[in-house]
Each structure stands twice: as C-alpha cells, then as structure tokens.
C-alpha cells in the first residue's frame, strides 16, 4: 500500500519553528530611551489647559498649588471647571517612576481631563 511520506514535511516544519523561536526575541527587544526630549514647533494657538507638575520625589503642583495624590483628582476637577477645559499639560521630571505617572494620569482622566499633553524640553 502506497502512502504519502510526511517525514520531510515534519522536518521542514520543525526547522521553521526553530527559526521563529530564535528570531522572536529580536522583534520584541526594547530600545534604551531617554525621555522626555522632543523637537516640536511651538504653537501659539494651543487651547487653555490645566498645568500639572511632578518632580522626581513625587511632589505635585496643580496650577502652582501643592497637591497630594489623594487630593489630586479634586484639584484637577476644580481647575478644569475654572479654566473651562478638558486639556491637561503634564510636566514631569524624567526620573519620575512610570507607576507614579500612571496613577497621576488615571486621576486626571477621572477628573474629566482626558486630553493630556506632555511638556518636554528642546534638545
């Protein structure tokens, strides 16, 4: 009885699997980055925004007034109402932990500021 020999097919498939296993890490390697630095033209027609500053120790300033993470949402909500805007300009130190920045961004979204702009310095 004659049948199809699948041994060469299995060999080719195993070689392809090995190639993909070896090549996959090359596609997911992260690049070392230094943030924040960006080159962008200044735009005089930018909308009004609530200004939030965060230093490397985690201290927060909303429109120049000190705030804590617990009171941040209320401060942002009040400033958004006073300014009549839904834009937040976030000026964070480059050494701020990503988790701290994520908590601040979540508080801003809960406060009704879904549009955020990151302030960077010119290189």
């Amino acid at each position: 009885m004659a049948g199809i020999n699948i041994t060469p097919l299995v060999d080719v498939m195993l070689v392809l699997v090995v190639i993909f296993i070896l090549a996959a890490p090359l596609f997911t390697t992260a690049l070392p980055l230094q943030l924040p630095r960006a080159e962008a033209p200044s735009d005089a027609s930018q909308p009004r925004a609530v200004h939030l500053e965060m230093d490397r120790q985690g201290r927060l300033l909303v429109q120049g007034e000190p705030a804590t993470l617990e009171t941040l949402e209320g401060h942002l909500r009040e400033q958004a109402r006073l300014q009549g805007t839904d834009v937040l300009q976030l000026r964070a130190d480059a050494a701020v932990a990503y988790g701290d920045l994520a908590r601040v961004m979540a508080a801003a979204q809960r406060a009704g500021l879904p549009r955020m702009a990151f302030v960077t310095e010119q290189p």
Side-chain angles (χ1 to χ4, degrees):
M1 174 170 219
I4 298 175
N5 188 0
I6 63 167
T7 303
L9 176 65
V10 171
D11 288 343
V12 169
M13 296 306 289
L14 287 175
V15 168
L16 288 175
V17 166
V18 169
I19 289 172
F20 284 121
I21 288 173
L22 294 175
L26 298 176
F27 300 123
T28 60
T29 304
L31 299 174
L33 301 175
Q34 279 188 319
L35 296 177
R37 284 192 170 263
E39 231 178 284
S42 61
D43 187 5
S45 66
Q46 292 178 351
R48 289 191 302 183
V50 176
H51 299 280
L52 173 64
E53 297 179 26
M54 186 174 188
D55 68 1
R56 65 181 61 212
Q57 286 83 24
R59 291 184 296 236
L60 300 168
L61 292 176
V62 178
Q63 296 293 111
E65 298 291 323
T68 64
L69 193 56
E70 293 77 26
T71 63
L72 180 62
E73 190 175 337
H75 283 285
L76 291 175
R77 185 173 284 119
E78 178 66 19
Q79 288 300 321
R81 186 185 62 78
L82 290 174
Q83 299 277 339
T85 186
D86 66 344
V87 178
L88 174 71
Q89 282 191 354
L90 180 58
R91 180 185 307 240
D93 192 280
V96 170
Y98 185 76
D100 294 339
L101 192 57
R103 284 188 283 279
V104 167
M105 291 170 61
Q109 286 184 337
R110 287 191 306 267
L113 295 165
R115 297 173 49 205
M116 294 179 208
F118 290 92
V119 179
T120 59
E121 59 186 38
Q122 295 289 334

